[in-house]
Amino acid sequence: MIIKPDKEASLTLGLRALAKRLDRKHLLFDQISKELLQAEAGEYGEKFIMKQLEKLSFVMKIYVLHNITLRYPLSFQIDIVVITPYEVILVECKNIRGNVELKNRPRQMIRTLETGERRIFHHPEVQLEEYVYNLKKFFNQHYIKVPVNGIIVFPFNNVRIDYEDGYFPVLTARELISFLQQRPIKEKCIDAYAISRFLVAHLQSYEVYPLCRYYGIEIEAIQPGVFCPRCQCGQMQWIKRKWICTSCLHTDQKAHLLALQDYGMLIDKNITNKQAQHFLQLSNRHVIKRLLTTSAYYKVGATKQRKYQILL
């Protein structure tokens, strides 16, 4: 059973907004674009793994949680958690292509593309070790005795894996179902459902907003305006109570909501009327006030210095 289904991570949403609005000449633009591609590839791989686990949940009593964050003993985020009748298994997903070597001395992941380009990454089991340790500590804090193990999964077959035996099994997604079905049956069972609900009850949000502060990007480098949700390239203007795209002439009464979400993810969760005028490129403060107050934004502070809290 999928207890916490997959959904797009907040960091991916923020990176997409940042790549769209960041000045193309900015020193960090190439880095942000690369990180966005990596985040999207990672999520695509996780979704594929979740589909495999969903198939398995019809024939095996398992509970699956995707993209969970806990705060003890340190803040850590786990790609996928599978809870079986006998153990908790952490799945570290690595969506990477090319020839991959997993080395133990020192522990490194070396990726070589067909072009001959080589790049060295952290070995995934180093991070997975930390996650397993932290989750065990978390359970111990709450007097829960449960085995915690981990596996490293490459979701697709566009990778050739050469690895030296390590602490955790290394699989492709197609092997995942048979791997879980063949796990040894233990005498002592655990209450898998209760543990899944316990984890859900203790989930924390993974907060990186605002991204300008996170990456040290000056606000002036962020392009303001309401972007057209249809053509993604045209700027929209507010004319006769609706937004009209200057490129494709698409009309939309609520296009400002997406722009305000971008502001919240990139700059600040709170926005004043004056700030909204600049970011939405609309100088009529009365219209801005109406757009903010009718868009389910909370009011914060006195009238003169009033801010509106953006819901993300």
Side-chain angles (χ1 to χ4, degrees):
M1 180 182 295
I2 307 297
I3 297 294
K4 183 177 180 292
D6 58 281
K7 68 174 185 178
E8 198 159 36
S10 57
L11 179 58
T12 306
L13 291 171
L15 285 171
R16 190 173 295 125
L18 184 55
K20 176 177 65 179
R21 291 186 177 272
L22 185 62
D23 187 335
R24 298 299 188 268
K25 297 180 181 179
H26 195 278
L27 292 175
L28 291 180
F29 180 77
D30 289 341
Q31 175 188 330
I32 296 300
S33 300
K34 187 176 182 179
E35 289 189 22
L36 174 60
L37 289 174
Q38 291 174 344
E40 290 176 334
E43 291 206 1
Y44 185 67
E46 290 170 20
K47 286 181 179 180
F48 185 78
I49 292 174
M50 289 292 289
K51 288 181 181 179
Q52 303 304 308
L53 292 171
E54 186 175 12
K55 295 177 186 176
L56 182 59
S57 67
F58 291 112
V59 296
M60 184 177 176
K61 192 174 182 180
I62 61 171
Y63 298 92
V64 183
L65 296 87
H66 175 250
N67 198 17
I68 72 169
T69 300
L70 299 169
R71 297 289 185 197
Y72 180 87
L74 297 171
S75 179
F76 61 106
Q77 186 179 34
I78 307 169
D79 292 341
I80 299 171
V81 177
V82 180
I83 307 169
T84 77
Y86 308 103
E87 61 186 334
V88 175
I89 300 175
L90 309 187
V91 180
E92 177 69 9
C93 172
K94 289 298 177 187
N95 187 8
I96 190 170
R97 62 187 177 88
N99 183 65
V100 173
E101 301 172 80
L102 296 174
K103 299 291 188 180
N104 281 341
R105 296 183 180 178
R107 289 199 287 184
Q108 294 177 327
M109 180 169 69
I110 304 171
R111 191 270 307 275
T112 306
L113 298 177
E114 292 181 356
T115 59
E117 177 188 346
R118 285 168 61 88
R119 184 178 174 187
I120 299 176
F121 301 84
H122 295 297
H123 198 300
E125 74 173 14
V126 175
Q127 190 172 49
L128 191 52
E129 272 183 339
E130 179 185 333
Y131 292 164
V132 169
Y133 174 82
N134 285 340
L135 190 57
K136 285 181 178 179
K137 292 281 288 185
F138 177 79
F139 282 140
N140 288 339
Q141 183 200 26
H142 294 88
Y143 305 101
I144 297 174
K145 301 295 182 182
V146 55
V148 180
N149 297 301
I151 56 176
I152 299 166
V153 179
F154 290 82
F156 305 113
N157 290 326
N158 58 351
V159 58
R160 180 179 179 273
I161 306 168
D162 297 314
Y163 69 97
E164 301 169 358
D165 289 338
Y167 295 106
F168 302 108
V170 178
L171 312 169
T172 62
R174 296 293 186 185
E175 299 175 286
L176 186 55
I177 291 179
S178 61
F179 172 84
L180 293 174
Q181 288 176 325
Q182 295 172 22
R183 293 292 286 172
I185 297 176
K186 301 178 182 179
E187 294 182 4
K188 187 176 181 180
C189 294
I190 63 174
D191 190 338
Y193 178 74
I195 291 173
S196 69
R197 300 314 305 176
F198 175 79
L199 287 175
V200 169
H202 287 80
L203 292 182
Q204 302 288 329
S205 60
Y206 183 71
E207 194 59 78
V208 293
Y209 301 146
L211 289 187
C212 281
R213 182 174 62 193
Y214 182 80
Y215 284 102
I217 295 173
E218 58 280 9
I219 297 175
E220 293 75 16
I222 300 300
Q223 183 181 357
V226 177
F227 293 166
C228 177
R230 173 177 288 180
C231 69
Q232 298 296 325
C233 58
Q235 286 269 15
M236 304 193 84
Q237 294 181 350
W238 181 258
I239 302 174
K240 295 182 179 180
R241 293 180 176 268
K242 59 187 175 184
W243 296 98
I244 301 178
C245 178
T246 57
S247 294
C248 69
L249 302 182
H250 172 68
T251 62
D252 193 320
Q253 289 185 322
K254 297 183 178 181
H256 59 281
L257 296 179
L258 295 175
L260 289 171
Q261 284 185 341
D262 288 352
Y263 186 94
M265 291 187 291
L266 304 182
I267 299 173
D268 198 331
K269 287 184 178 180
N270 297 313
I271 189 169
T272 65
N273 188 299
K274 187 174 182 179
Q275 290 168 337
Q277 289 180 52
H278 169 71
F279 197 74
L280 300 181
Q281 297 289 281
L282 178 57
S283 60
N284 190 319
R285 64 185 180 88
H286 300 291
V287 173
I288 290 292
K289 180 180 179 181
R290 186 169 67 250
L291 292 178
L292 292 173
T293 54
T294 59
S295 301
Y297 293 97
Y298 297 121
K299 300 177 183 178
V300 181
T303 302
K304 190 173 182 180
Q305 299 296 328
R306 177 166 293 165
K307 292 185 177 182
Y308 298 82
Q309 190 177 56
I310 300 172
L311 301 177
L312 298 176

